[in-house]
Every structure is written in C-alpha cells, then in structure tokens.
Amino acid sequence: MLQQSSWTFRYSLEGFLKRVLHCAPCPLTAEGLVETVLSDWAGPEQSRESIAARVRASLEATNGAFASVGNDKFTLRQTAGDDLQNHAYHFLKKTKRPQKQGDILRHLQQVTGRGRGELMSRVDLDCDPRFARLDGGEWLLTEWQPANDKIVQMMQARGIRRADSVDLLELVNEEAEQEYHIFYPEYDPRFALVGTVVECLLVELEAAATAEDTGMKTEEDNMTTTEQATVTSQATETTDLSAISTHQLVATVLKQLTDVSNELKQRNQDIPNEVLTLFNSEDLAGIEVLMGERKRVGALADDLALFVSKWSAE
C-alpha cells in the first residue's frame, strides 16, 4: 500500500518520510529509510549517494518533523503544534481534501484575522509531522490512508468502469476492515476524472483485451473502405482563403481555431492512457513530463476557446 501510494500521490521526500514513519510500528534506521526511499519513491535517474544525503539532511534538520531516538533510528517528532498549525490541521480534517498552501493561508486569514505576510512567516507545515506535502505543492494529513489502491481493486473485480468518487469512497469503506480517509484520483494515472465521475482506465484496458480475445470488432474494424476514403478526403480538404470574402475568412479562421481547441481537449483526455503505460513501466520521469504537458495543453485549449468566444461575440 505504501509503495503504491507513493506513485499515486508523488509525495515530496519529506512527505514520504513522514508517511513511512507514521505507518511504521517502531522507529526506523536512517539506512532503512534510505532503502525504502530508493525502492518506493526515487526514480531510476537518482543515485544512491544523492538520496542518502537528502534523507539524512531531512532527518537531521533543525526543528524538523523527525526525532532521533538513538542508534541512528528516527521517528516522528511529538508536537502539539501552535494555534495556526492546529487551525490548518482542523481545516484539512474538515475538507477531507488536499489543499494548496495558498488555500490554507486564506482560511487562516479568515479565522484569525491576521495578515497574509505574517501567516507566511509563521506557518511552517514542513516541521509539523501531521502534514505531508505532495510534489505538486498540495498538503494532506500524514494520517490519511489513501483509498486509491482499494478502489482500483474493487472496480476491477466488479467490472465498474465509471462511478461517482464519493460513492466509491463510501462503498470501499463499507467493505474494508480499516477506514480509508481519502480518495484523490486527480493525480493518479490509473483514473480519469470528469467532474465527480471517476473512470478507471485499468478496467477499460481489460475490457479492450476481452474484446480482442473474443473476436469482437471495434467501430474502426467495421468501417468500410469507402467510409475510410471519405474521412480521409474530408480531413485533407482545404479552403482557398484567397477566394472568399473577408467575413468568410474570419469565420473560417475562428472555426479552425475551434477545431484546434477541441482537438487539444480530446488529446488532454487521452493523456491518462499514455501516463498509464508509463506507470506500468515505472517511468516516473516520463509521468512527470506528461502531467506537465497535460496542464499546458489544457490551458492552451481554454485560451483558444476564450479567444474564439471573444471574437465571435464582436
């Protein structure tokens, strides 16, 4: 479970160490923690020497979240936290969702009346063992048990391809021996998310494999040669822009931009399938690149749609 959650959520190094020590029944040695980081968190491009140095620096940081108990063993530091960190803790506890630093600070501004500058200088969640940070900057509670793995198993076993995220979490908690505190499919390459509806890509892949094994034909297989030729002809058809009026030119360009925006949106929906392939091969670097591209493609599609909407209204 711990290994999968590290891939699913991509904890920061400190966040991952907090999670490991929270789940451990006793203090762990620095060497043992290095081995766990290498096997469950670090990518293949990271050397043992650099990981060992980073782990050691995190464990021995002044006023950090970790405490030495002797014999080079470490555990989470016991702390009651100050009022601001306690407010942040209860905020996450109530929302039951990972939160960006900015959202946490805005909440603290509302409940304490203090300025953002003061809060930024005083709130240090890294030093509080109750909070674990993701690589993307979101904060979640170290105590939270991710439900992603259990939900994948359940959806595969039942052949469920799509379901509401809230319903899935409630269902898995009804059947599980332990309570799962969080289901966060946004950063999990095994899921695609539209609104609150979750689609398990692993179930789709299995369904596709079943279709091949049973000789079922897809829509593409059923397309006749004539239909394929028609599609190809339509795709390659171009408009001679020099032969149309200015009004038609503007309308044509806006339509082309709309088509490009729609194509980008479609590609963005297909990216999780590419990520899944990299996930299965544990290509962490490739996953990070694709997730970054997904944000860029989505932003570009939205900007184009906004541009078309603006000029179409004039």
Side-chain angles (χ1 to χ4, degrees), residues 25-137:
C26 60
L28 300 177
T29 65
E31 182 62 26
L33 288 168
V34 169
E35 293 297 334
T36 301
V37 169
L38 285 170
S39 63
D40 296 349
W41 183 86
E45 73 283 356
Q46 295 174 293
S47 69
R48 181 184 185 87
E49 291 74 17
S50 65
I51 288 297
R54 291 179 61 189
V55 169
R56 178 68 66 177
S58 297
L59 294 175
E60 297 179 351
T62 304
N63 299 323
F66 310 102
S68 173
V69 295
N71 297 322
D72 205 31
K73 291 185 177 181
F74 293 85
T75 187
L76 291 177
R77 180 170 57 86
Q78 299 300 314
T79 177
D82 62 19
D83 288 343
L84 293 176
Q85 289 167 330
N86 288 337
H87 278 306
Y89 175 83
H90 291 299
F91 174 56
L92 286 175
K93 195 85 169 177
K94 180 179 179 180
T95 60
K96 298 181 180 180
R97 300 286 297 171
Q99 299 289 340
K100 290 281 191 181
Q101 177 87 358
D103 295 326
I104 295 174
L105 292 178
R106 276 189 288 273
H107 172 75
L108 294 179
Q109 281 182 282
Q110 293 174 357
V111 298
T112 67
R114 298 183 181 182
R116 187 179 181 87
E118 178 187 357
L119 292 173
M120 290 180 66
S121 65
R122 291 192 54 186
V123 177
D124 183 5
L125 302 184
D126 266 322
C127 70
D128 192 321
R130 297 175 296 175
F131 300 92
R133 182 172 57 84
L134 303 181
D135 265 353

Side-chain angles (χ1 to χ4, degrees), residues 1-11 16 40-41:
M1 180 67 69
L2 183 60
Q3 180 177 4
Q4 189 63 72
S5 67
S6 70
W7 276 89
T8 297
F9 295 111
R10 282 305 301 159
Y11 288 96
F16 181 71
D40 296 349
W41 183 86

Side-chain angles (χ1 to χ4, degrees), residues 273-293:
N273 293 305
E274 299 180 53
V275 174
L276 182 62
T277 301
L278 297 175
F279 179 85
N280 290 331
S281 61
E282 298 189 353
D283 184 355
L284 180 58
I287 290 175
E288 291 178 346
V289 170
L290 268 181
M291 295 305 283
E293 286 298 313

